[in-house]
Amino acid sequence: MNNPLAVKLGSIQLKNPIMPASGCFGFGQEFAQLYDLKQLGAVVVKAVTLRPIWGNPTPRVAETPGGMLNAIGLQNPGLDVVCREKLPWLAEQDVPIIVNIAGETVADYVAVAETVSRQTGVIALELNISCPNVQKGGMAFGTSPETAAELTRAVKAVSSVPVFVKLSPNVTDIVEIAQAVEAAGADGLSLINTLLGLAIDLRKRRPILANVTGGLSGPAIKPVALRMIHQVYRAVALPIIGMGGISSAEDVLEFMLAGASAVAVGTANFVDPLIMPRIINQLPGLLAELGVNSISELIGALEV
Amino acid sequence: MNNPLAVKLGSIQLKNPIMPASGCFGFGQEFAQLYDLKQLGAVVVKAVTLRPIWGNPTPRVAETPGGMLNAIGLQNPGLDVVCREKLPWLAEQDVPIIVNIAGETVADYVAVAETVSRQTGVIALELNISCPNVQKGGMAFGTSPETAAELTRAVKAVSSVPVFVKLSPNVTDIVEIAQAVEAAGADGLSLINTLLGLAIDLRKRRPILANVTGGLSGPAIKPVALRMIHQVYRAVALPIIGMGGISSAEDVLEFMLAGASAVAVGTANFVDPLIMPRIINQLPGLLAELGVNSISELIGALEV
Amino acid sequence: MNKYLGTILNSARLTSNVFKLVVSVPELTENVTPGQFCQIRIATELSHDPLLRRPISVADYDPTRQKLTFIIRESGRGTKFLARLVPGQQIDLFGPLGTGFPVHRLVKGDRALLIAGGIGAPPLYYLARQLHANGVECATILGFRSHSESFLIDEFSQFGPVRVVTDDGTLGSCGNVCTEITAWTSEGLDWTHGFACGPLPMLQALQAQLAGDGRPVWVSLEKRMACGLGACAACTCRPANPNSTASGPRLVCKDGPVFLLGEVELGE
Amino acid sequence: MNKYLGTILNSARLTSNVFKLVVSVPELTENVTPGQFCQIRIATELSHDPLLRRPISVADYDPTRQKLTFIIRESGRGTKFLARLVPGQQIDLFGPLGTGFPVHRLVKGDRALLIAGGIGAPPLYYLARQLHANGVECATILGFRSHSESFLIDEFSQFGPVRVVTDDGTLGSCGNVCTEITAWTSEGLDWTHGFACGPLPMLQALQAQLAGDGRPVWVSLEKRMACGLGACAACTCRPANPNSTASGPRLVCKDGPVFLLGEVELGE
Ligand SMILES: Cc1cc2nc3c(=O)[nH]c(=O)nc-3n(C[C@H](O)[C@H](O)[C@H](O)COP(=O)(O)OP(=O)(O)OC[C@H]3O[C@@H](n4cnc5c(N)ncnc54)[C@H](O)[C@@H]3O)c2cc1C
Ligand SMILES: Cc1cc2nc3c(=O)[nH]c(=O)nc-3n(C[C@H](O)[C@H](O)[C@H](O)COP(=O)(O)OP(=O)(O)OC[C@H]3O[C@@H](n4cnc5c(N)ncnc54)[C@H](O)[C@@H]3O)c2cc1C
Ligand SMILES: Cc1cc2nc3c(=O)[nH]c(=O)nc-3n(C[C@H](O)[C@H](O)[C@H](O)COP(=O)(O)O)c2cc1C
Ligand SMILES: Cc1cc2nc3c(=O)[nH]c(=O)nc-3n(C[C@H](O)[C@H](O)[C@H](O)COP(=O)(O)O)c2cc1C
Ligand code: FES
Ligand code: FES
C-alpha cells in the first residue's frame, strides 16, 4: 500500500512532510526524550556557524498576541562540535537531517556548507539568509536579490547535497528574491523566517528583549506566511518548505494548498512538545475525511 | 488644571491621543449610537475616493490567529456624498476630523485632497498609500520612496490642512519611505497599515476572501507596528499616529513610548465597540499609577 | 443596542452538534425583534484569540425575565467555545443588532409560511411565537439532513401545523423544503407572507421557486462580519436590481440580516 | 518529563494576589525533585493566546495520591488565567522539568538554611519537607514586603525555626533576608548548606553577602523561557567564570533552574 503522507522535495523523498523549524528543536536530543525522532519526515537543526556563538543577552524571548519574539542570536556550539557530536548522534536516530547554516560572510557560509553537507545523514542544507537577530550577515543577505543570489551560488558550488534557501519575510517583494535564488541554482526554498518585531515593558519603559527587536513567530504570522508561499509558488518552480505559525494538521494542509511540498513546525513545539507526532498521526484520518488519497495531491491545489 | 491627556501632532492640538483607525469606524454615525464622539481626540474616517466605490466581492473578512484579514476594497460613497452628508454630520458632533483619502492616480488624490481639506471640521488629511486591497493605486504608491514622495508633494500643494502619510508595512525598509515623504513635505506619518496576508478554507480549497489576499490587522501585528514606529521615530522628525493591534490603555502607552504622538484604534472596535471611551477613561489612572503627569512625556521615551 | 454582560442559566444539547444557551441579561431593557442577532464575544478579556465576535440570532427572548435564548450549531472554534459554557459563566453580548422580521406588517388573519433549513430554524421560532401571539396563522416547514439532526419540531407545533422534510427521509417526507412547499401547496396550503432562514443553496432554490409569486417572502441572510454595526463594510451585499433607487450597497448587519427575497443578491 | 492532563482539586487564596492550586495528575508516576518546575499551558487548545506556557515551580508533591501543588503570584495575563481556574477544570502540564535542588547531597545532621523572598518560598517548601524527612535540620528565613503579603509561615514552621522579615516591619523584623541572616548569625545560627529562591536583587545581594563564605548555597533562578526543555536557547546564562572548563552557555530550564550560587552570572 502506498504511504499517503509521502512527499517529494525535488529529488528528496520524505516519508511525511513534517519537520521541526530550525532553532525550535535544537539538535533533536531534548525532544528525543519525548518521542522517537524517526517518526518525523526530517529534522532541521539549529543554525550552525563556523565558530561557536554565545548569542544575545537575555531576555531573548517575549510573548506577543498569538505569537512570540525571539532574539536568540544564533547561539550554537559551532561547526566542529556539531560535526563531532550533534550530527552523528542525530544520524543514529535514523532520521534525515537538514542543516540550517548561517554566517557573517560568504566565506563563512561556504566553509560551513562544504563540511556539513558531507556529514552522514545530511540530506540538504537550509541557507539561513533571514535571521533578524544578528548584527552582521543574517537578514542582510536576504533582503537584496543580488546578495542572496551570490551567496546561493557560492554555497551551491561547494555543497554535496541540495540547498534550500530560507527567505526573509521582511521584504517588499519576496517573489523577486525567490526568483533570484532560483536563477542562482537553489534546489528549493524555505519560507518564512520571522517578521521583525518589538515588544515593550511599559513599566520599565524598555524593550522586553535585551536585543531590542526580535523575530516574530507563531500563529500570529500564519496569514503572512501563507500569502508569501502562495505568491512564490506561482512564480518559481522550486519545491517549498513552508512554515510560520503551523500548529495543527489542518494548518499543514493549508500550507500545502498554498504551495508547500513539506512544512516545518516551529513555535508550536513550545506550546505542545508532542505536536509533531500528533500531527503525523492525525494526517491520515484528516486526508481520508477530505477524500484525498495522497497528501502530495494537495500541493499548490488552492483554487483562486 | 492641565489636561494630562493633551497631545500635539505637529501644529495640531488634541485633547487626547485616541482616534479610530480609518475604515474601522465608517464615518462615525454607527458608533455615535453607542457613545458621544466628542470624547475622542479625533475621528479618522473611512478612505474617501473621487467616485463611489463598491469594493470587493464578499467574503471580505476572515479571522486569523489573534487578528483578522480584510479586503473591503475601499468601499465608500465617493467625494460628493462624503462632503454633502458625512462630513457635515460629523462636524456637528464637535470632534476634529481627519479624512483618509485614496485614489488610483495622483490626479484622483489631488482632487479629493483639494476639496476635502476645505470642509468644516477637517483638521488633517491622511494619505492612504498603503491599501493592499485594490488593483490600482493603493499600496503601489506606498512601496516605492519615489512615488510616495511624488504623491505627497502633489497633495501637499493643494491641501489646506496638514497631511499625514499612511505607510505600508509591506516593505523592506520603512525608514527609507518615511524619509522620502518627510523630504516631500509631509506634516506627519501614520503607521502601520495592514500586512498582506492569506487565509484558506481547507475544505473548499479556496481562499476565504473572495479577493484571495487581504490586510492583516489586530493584536497579531502589534510587535511589527511597534518595531516600525520605533525605527521611524528615530529617523524622522515628523509626528506619528501609531496603530496596529492596539486594544488597551497599556497598548496606547507602549505605542507612545515607541514614538507615536497619537494613536488609532482599529480592529479592537470590533472586539469591544466601547473600547475607545473605555481607554480614554482608564488613561488618567494608569498614568497616575506610572507616576506620569502628562501623557506626552512618554512620546519616544523608550530606553534602548 | 448595547454591550451587555450575560450569565449562562442553562446549556442543553438539542442534537449531537446543536445546543441551546439560555442567558440572563438583567440590564437588557431594549426591544428585541425576531431576526435580530447578537455579536457574542468568544475569548475573555485576557485573550486575543479567537478575536472576533460571532453573530448569533436571537432564538427567543423573555422580556419580563430578561432571558435571551440562542440555538447554535458547533462548527468552528468560536461555536465550540460557546458549546463549553456552563451555567454561572458570563458572556459578553453586543446587541440586539440589525433589522429583524417585519412582525407588525402581519395582522390577525394573515397566514405566515415559515421555511427553515437546519440551523436556520432558531430565529423563526421567536418569530413564530410573536406572530402566533398576534393572531397570525403559522404553517412551518422544517428541513433537516436527517432525523438525528432535527430539533425544535415540538416547539414550532405549538403555533400551527408543522411539516418536516429530511434529505434522507429518516423523518417526515424525503426531500427538501422546496419539494415540501410544492407538496403541501398541492394539498391546499395557503399563505400570505413567507419567512425563510437556512443555508445559502436553500435560499437560492427558494428564490428560483418563488420568483414571480408576488407574495412577500423575507429571508434572513448570513455574511462574514467584523463590526456587526454597519461601520466596517465587511458584510455588503448588492441590491438585486442595481438600477433601482436607493441602490447603494446594503449591509447584512444593519440593513439586514432580514431582506425581502429578491431585494439583494444572494451570495457568500 | 511528559505532558500530563491535570484536574484542579482546589484553588485557594493565600494573600490578595498569591494563590495555591492543587492538581490531581493521575498519570504522573515520575519522581519530582524539589526545585523542578512545570510548564503550564494557559489557553485551551481552541485558542492561540496567551501562546506560551508558564514555568511554575512545584510547591509540593504527593506521590501516593499524584497530587501536585503550585503556589502562584498573579502578575500578568497567564497567571491571571490560572487564578480563575476552579475545581474540576483541567490543565495541561509539561514537566517535571529542569534540575532541582540536590536533596540527597545532605544527610542526617546537616543543617540547611532556607532563604526565601516573596514568591520564592514555594519551591523551598517542598524542599524543606523532603530535607526534614531525611533528618536534615532546617532553619528558614522568609522575607516579604509586608504582613499582608506573607504566606506559608506556619507550613515552614513544621520543619524547624522560621524567622520572618518584612520591608516595612509589619511582621517579624524590619529589613530584608540579608539583614536577617546577619542578625540570626549573630544570635548563633549555624548552617552547612544554603538554599535560596527569590527576586533577582535578593539573589544578587545574597551573592555579595556570602561571597567567599565557602559553604555551598543553591539558588533557583528565573529566566524567560519558550521550550522549557533545553532546545531553544531562550534561557541561557553565562558561567560566572568563563575560563572554567565546561564553560559553555548554561540553560536555566535544563541545567537549572537550580545553580550553585556563584556558578552562573545572575541577570534577567
Ligand atoms: C446574522 C447571523 C445570524 C446567525 N445566527 C446563527 C444562529 O442563530 N445559530 C447558529 O448556529 N449560527 C448562526 N449564524 C452563523 C454563525 O455566525 C456561524 O456559524 C459562526 O460565526 C461560526 O463561527 P465558528 O467560530 O464556529 O467558525 P469559524 O469557522 O471558526 O469562524 C471563523 C470566522 O468566520 C465567521 N463565520 C463562519 N461561518 C459563518 C457564517 N455561516 N456566517 C457568518 N460568519 C461566519 C465567524 O463569525 C468568524 O469570524 C448566524 C450568522 C449570521 C451572520
Ligand atoms: C523555573 C521557574 C519557576 C517559577 N516558579 C514560580 C512559582 O512557583 N510561582 C510563581 O508565582 N511564579 C513562578 N515563576 C515565575 C512565573 O513563571 C512568572 O511569574 C510567570 O511566567 C508570569 O506570567 P504572566 O503570564 O503572569 O506574566 P506575563 O507578563 O503576561 O508573561 C509574559 C511572558 O513573560 C514570561 N515571564 C514573565 N515574568 C517571568 C518570570 N519572572 N520568570 C520567567 N518568565 C517570566 C512569561 O512566562 C510569559 O512568557 C517561575 C519562573 C521560572 C523561570
Ligand atoms: C526560538 C527560535 C529560534 C529560531 N532559530 C532559527 C535559526 O537558527 N535558523 C533559522 O533559519 N530560523 C530560526 N528560527 C525561525 C524558525 O525556523 C521559523 O522560520 C519561524 O519561527 C516561523 O515558524 P513558526 O511560526 O512555526 O515558529 C527560529 C525561531 C524561533 C522561535
Ligand atoms: C475593516 C478594515 C478597513 C480598513 N480600511 C482602511 C481604509 O479605508 N484606509 C486606511 O488607511 N486603512 C484602513 N484600514 C487599516 C486600519 O486603519 C489600520 O491601519 C490597521 O487595521 C491596523 O490597525 P488595527 O490593528 O488597530 O486594526 C482598515 C482596516 C480594517 C480592519
Ligand atoms: S459587519 Fe461591519 S458593516 Fe456589517
Ligand atoms: S527555554 Fe528553551 S532552552 Fe530553556
Side-chain angles (χ1 to χ4, degrees):
Chain A
M1 216 197 72
N2 272 338
N3 168 7
L5 299 188
V7 292
K8 271 205 217 150
L9 264 180
S11 61
I12 300 169
Q13 180 82 44
L14 297 178
K15 68 168 166 296
N16 68 57
I18 310 299
M19 55 184 90
S22 175
C24 302
F25 205 71
F27 293 87
Q29 282 157 313
E30 294 77 19
F31 282 90
Q33 300 169 268
L34 294 168
Y35 57 85
D36 190 345
L37 303 188
K38 213 176 357 198
Q39 299 171 71
L40 303 173
V43 164
V44 187
V45 302
K46 176 73 191 162
V48 177
T49 55
L50 196 51
R51 278 167 291 271
I53 293 192
W54 277 87
N56 291 316
T58 54
R60 290 179 173 185
V61 292
E63 188 180 66
T64 69
M68 64 174 279
L69 294 176
N70 88 80
I72 307 297
L74 298 182
Q75 176 179 327
N76 82 95
L79 181 63
D80 284 354
V81 174
V82 168
C83 291
R84 209 170 53 232
E85 296 172 15
K86 305 293 182 183
L87 298 181
W89 177 87
L90 202 46
E92 272 172 30
Q93 311 309 305
D94 200 15
V95 61
I97 306 171
I98 298 178
V99 182
N100 185 278
I101 68 174
E104 292 183 5
T105 63
V106 174
D108 283 359
Y109 277 96
V110 166
V112 177
E114 182 150 26
T115 305
V116 108
S117 67
R118 288 173 175 75
Q119 303 299 309
T120 311
V122 173
I123 59 157
L125 301 186
E126 184 175 63
L127 203 58
N128 179 358
I129 59 167
S130 42
C131 179
N133 300 321
V134 289
Q135 294 300 315
K136 278 186 267 178
M139 204 167 86
F141 284 110
T143 50
S144 136
E146 292 75 29
T147 43
E150 185 201 331
L151 184 63
T152 305
R153 228 175 277 115
V155 168
K156 267 301 285 179
V158 300
S159 174
S160 63
V161 294
V163 175
F164 280 69
V165 182
K166 184 157 175 184
L167 303 186
S168 168
N170 301 292
V171 295
T172 308
D173 185 358
I174 191 139
V175 167
E176 182 192 32
I177 316 260
Q179 287 169 332
V181 303
E182 178 179 43
D187 300 290
L189 300 170
S190 293
L191 47 151
I192 59 175
N193 210 315
T194 53
L195 285 162
L196 194 60
L198 170 67
I200 291 176
D201 185 324
L202 173 59
R203 278 152 225 279
K204 297 189 182 146
R205 298 194 190 182
R206 283 203 329 237
I208 293 179
L209 299 178
N211 188 51
V212 183
T213 57
L216 180 62
S217 64
I221 69 169
K222 190 182 124 184
V224 176
L226 284 173
R227 184 261 297 182
M228 290 189 164
I229 292 166
H230 172 67
Q231 287 179 321
V232 168
Y233 177 79
R234 290 158 68 98
V236 307
L238 299 178
I240 296 170
I241 304 175
M243 67 207 72
I246 292 176
S247 58
S248 67
E250 285 78 7
D251 287 346
V252 169
L253 301 189
E254 290 179 19
F255 273 71
M256 296 186 74
L257 284 174
S261 294
V263 301
V265 178
T267 302
N269 289 294
F270 311 151
V271 179
D272 177 358
L274 300 174
I275 192 159
M276 288 197 286
R278 186 159 58 79
I279 287 178
I280 292 167
N281 289 332
Q282 288 173 344
L283 279 174
L286 180 56
L287 290 175
E289 194 189 314
L290 296 172
V292 174
N293 293 318
S294 160
I295 200 167
S296 59
E297 288 167 28
L298 294 178
I299 301 166
L302 187 72
E303 292 160 24
V304 293
Chain B
M1 214 196 71
N2 271 340
N3 168 6
L5 299 188
V7 293
K8 270 205 215 150
L9 264 179
S11 61
I12 301 168
Q13 180 81 44
L14 297 179
K15 70 169 163 298
N16 68 58
I18 310 298
M19 55 184 90
S22 176
C24 303
F25 205 72
F27 293 87
Q29 282 157 315
E30 294 77 19
F31 283 89
Q33 300 168 269
L34 294 168
Y35 57 84
D36 191 344
L37 303 189
K38 213 176 355 197
Q39 299 171 71
L40 303 174
V43 164
V44 187
V45 302
K46 176 73 190 160
V48 177
T49 55
L50 197 51
R51 276 167 291 272
I53 294 192
W54 278 88
N56 291 316
T58 54
R60 290 179 174 185
V61 292
E63 189 179 64
T64 68
M68 64 174 280
L69 295 175
N70 89 79
I72 307 296
L74 300 182
Q75 176 179 327
N76 82 93
L79 182 62
D80 283 354
V81 175
V82 168
C83 292
R84 210 170 52 231
E85 296 172 15
K86 305 293 181 183
L87 298 181
W89 177 88
L90 203 45
E92 272 171 33
Q93 311 309 306
D94 200 13
V95 61
I97 306 171
I98 298 178
V99 182
N100 184 279
I101 68 174
E104 292 183 7
T105 63
V106 175
D108 284 359
Y109 277 96
V110 166
V112 177
E114 182 150 28
T115 305
V116 110
S117 66
R118 288 174 174 76
Q119 304 299 309
T120 312
V122 174
I123 59 157
L125 301 186
E126 184 175 62
L127 204 56
N128 179 358
I129 59 167
S130 43
C131 179
N133 300 321
V134 288
Q135 293 301 317
K136 279 186 265 177
M139 205 167 84
F141 284 110
T143 50
S144 137
E146 293 75 29
T147 43
E150 185 202 331
L151 185 63
T152 305
R153 227 174 279 118
V155 168
K156 267 301 285 179
V158 300
S159 175
S160 62
V161 294
V163 175
F164 280 69
V165 182
K166 184 157 177 184
L167 304 186
S168 168
N170 301 292
V171 295
T172 309
D173 185 359
I174 191 139
V175 167
E176 181 192 34
I177 316 259
Q179 287 169 332
V181 302
E182 179 179 42
D187 300 289
L189 300 170
S190 293
L191 48 151
I192 61 175
N193 210 315
T194 53
L195 286 163
L196 194 59
L198 170 67
I200 291 177
D201 184 325
L202 173 58
R203 278 152 225 279
K204 296 191 182 145
R205 299 196 189 179
R206 283 203 329 236
I208 292 179
L209 299 179
N211 189 51
V212 182
T213 58
L216 181 63
S217 65
I221 68 168
K222 191 182 125 185
V224 175
L226 285 173
R227 184 260 297 182
M228 290 189 164
I229 291 166
H230 172 67
Q231 287 178 322
V232 168
Y233 177 79
R234 290 158 68 98
V236 307
L238 300 179
I240 296 170
I241 305 174
M243 68 206 73
I246 293 176
S247 58
S248 68
E250 286 78 7
D251 287 347
V252 169
L253 300 189
E254 290 178 19
F255 273 72
M256 296 186 74
L257 284 174
S261 294
V263 300
V265 179
T267 303
N269 289 295
F270 311 151
V271 178
D272 177 357
L274 300 174
I275 191 157
M276 288 197 286
R278 185 159 59 80
I279 287 178
I280 293 167
N281 289 333
Q282 288 173 343
L283 278 173
L286 180 57
L287 290 174
E289 193 189 316
L290 297 172
V292 174
N293 293 319
S294 160
I295 200 167
S296 58
E297 289 168 27
L298 295 178
I299 300 167
L302 187 72
E303 292 160 24
V304 291
Chain C
M1 121 206 14
N2 214 328
K3 194 162 90 80
Y4 295 102
L5 209 61
T7 305
I8 307 294
L9 295 177
N10 187 25
S11 174
R13 289 271 149 191
L14 303 187
T15 76
S16 67
N17 65 357
V18 174
F19 62 99
K20 177 165 107 170
L21 278 184
V22 184
V23 187
S24 158
V25 191
E27 312 217 311
L28 177 59
T29 55
E30 307 175 51
N31 201 31
V32 181
T33 308
Q36 285 193 303
F37 65 99
C38 288
Q39 282 269 68
I40 306 186
R41 182 144 172 195
I42 304 299
T44 70
E45 83 283 5
L46 293 175
S47 173
H48 296 293
D49 186 68
L51 187 67
L52 297 176
R53 291 172 180 261
R54 301 299 191 260
I56 304 289
S57 301
V58 173
D60 204 0
Y61 178 53
D62 174 346
T64 58
R65 280 176 292 181
Q66 279 95 24
K67 281 194 328 196
L68 277 169
T69 302
F70 301 101
I71 296 179
I72 304 170
R73 187 164 59 92
E74 257 187 88
S75 46
R77 288 200 302 158
T79 49
K80 285 205 174 73
F81 249 99
L82 297 176
R84 293 187 184 178
L85 291 170
V86 295
Q89 281 189 281
Q90 296 201 308
I91 54 170
D92 170 348
L93 304 171
F94 177 43
L97 298 167
T99 306
F101 292 105
V103 184
H104 297 291
R105 292 267 302 258
L106 283 75
V107 293
K108 199 169 154 75
D110 279 336
R111 292 174 307 281
L113 173 61
L114 312 182
I115 310 160
I119 195 63
L124 296 183
Y125 171 76
Y126 182 33
L127 173 69
R129 206 166 60 68
Q130 288 212 349
L131 289 176
H132 182 75
N134 295 346
V136 174
E137 284 175 37
C138 296
T140 303
I141 298 177
L142 297 174
F144 300 104
R145 262 188 275 177
S146 72
H147 187 168
S148 65
E149 299 194 6
S150 67
F151 62 98
L152 284 188
I153 299 172
D154 293 347
E155 287 80 352
F156 273 103
S157 303
Q158 305 167 56
F159 311 125
V162 175
R163 294 267 188 122
V164 177
V165 55
T166 51
D167 291 350
D168 62 1
T170 47
L171 190 70
S173 39
C174 181
N176 57 46
V177 298
C178 291
T179 58
E180 195 59 28
I181 294 175
T182 309
W184 203 353
T185 303
S186 73
E187 294 170 37
L189 171 71
D190 186 23
W191 52 278
T192 57
H193 301 76
F195 300 91
C197 187
L200 188 59
M202 172 189 121
L203 300 181
Q204 287 165 330
L206 216 53
Q207 179 157 36
Q209 181 171 19
L210 298 176
D213 177 279
R215 289 170 287 187
V217 179
W218 288 275
V219 294
S220 178
L221 303 185
E222 292 185 359
K223 211 45 123 169
R224 293 202 180 225
M225 296 182 174
C227 72
L229 187 63
C232 75
C235 64
T236 294
C237 54
R238 290 180 176 258
N241 178 0
N243 301 322
S244 71
T245 48
S247 62
R250 314 299 303 275
L251 297 172
V252 171
C253 70
K254 189 169 117 178
D255 304 314
V258 173
F259 293 95
L260 208 45
L261 192 64
E263 182 185 356
V264 295
E265 284 179 10
L266 297 178
E268 237 191 288
Chain D
M1 121 210 9
N2 213 328
K3 195 163 89 80
Y4 295 102
L5 208 61
T7 304
I8 308 294
L9 295 176
N10 186 25
S11 173
R13 288 272 148 192
L14 303 187
T15 77
S16 67
N17 64 357
V18 173
F19 62 99
K20 176 166 107 169
L21 278 185
V22 183
V23 186
S24 158
V25 191
E27 313 217 310
L28 178 57
T29 55
E30 306 176 50
N31 201 30
V32 181
T33 307
Q36 285 192 303
F37 65 98
C38 289
Q39 283 268 69
I40 306 186
R41 180 142 173 196
I42 305 300
T44 69
E45 84 282 5
L46 292 176
S47 173
H48 296 292
D49 186 68
L51 187 67
L52 296 176
R53 290 170 181 264
R54 301 299 192 260
I56 303 290
S57 300
V58 173
D60 203 2
Y61 178 52
D62 174 347
T64 58
R65 280 176 294 182
Q66 280 95 26
K67 279 193 331 195
L68 278 168
T69 301
F70 301 101
I71 296 179
I72 304 170
R73 187 164 59 91
E74 256 188 88
S75 48
R77 289 200 300 158
T79 49
K80 285 206 173 73
F81 250 100
L82 297 177
R84 295 188 184 178
L85 290 170
V86 295
Q89 279 189 282
Q90 297 202 309
I91 54 171
D92 170 349
L93 305 171
F94 177 44
L97 297 167
T99 306
F101 292 105
V103 183
H104 298 291
R105 292 267 302 259
L106 283 76
V107 295
K108 203 172 154 74
D110 280 338
R111 293 174 305 283
L113 173 62
L114 312 182
I115 309 158
I119 195 64
L124 295 183
Y125 171 76
Y126 181 33
L127 173 69
R129 205 166 59 69
Q130 288 211 349
L131 289 175
H132 181 76
N134 296 347
V136 174
E137 283 175 37
C138 295
T140 303
I141 299 177
L142 297 174
F144 299 104
R145 262 189 272 178
S146 73
H147 188 168
S148 65
E149 298 195 6
S150 67
F151 62 98
L152 284 189
I153 300 172
D154 294 346
E155 288 80 352
F156 274 101
S157 304
Q158 306 166 54
F159 312 125
V162 173
R163 294 267 189 122
V164 176
V165 55
T166 51
D167 291 349
D168 62 1
T170 45
L171 190 70
S173 39
C174 181
N176 57 46
V177 298
C178 291
T179 58
E180 195 58 29
I181 293 175
T182 310
W184 204 352
T185 304
S186 74
E187 293 169 39
L189 171 70
D190 184 23
W191 52 278
T192 57
H193 301 76
F195 300 90
C197 187
L200 187 59
M202 172 189 122
L203 299 180
Q204 287 165 331
L206 217 51
Q207 178 156 35
Q209 181 170 19
L210 299 176
D213 176 277
R215 289 169 289 185
V217 179
W218 287 275
V219 294
S220 178
L221 303 185
E222 291 186 0
K223 209 49 120 169
R224 293 200 180 226
M225 297 182 174
C227 72
L229 186 64
C232 75
C235 65
T236 294
C237 52
R238 288 180 177 259
N241 178 359
N243 301 322
S244 70
T245 47
S247 62
R250 313 300 302 275
L251 297 172
V252 172
C253 69
K254 189 169 116 178
D255 305 314
V258 173
F259 294 95
L260 208 46
L261 193 64
E263 182 186 354
V264 294
E265 284 179 8
L266 297 178
E268 237 189 288

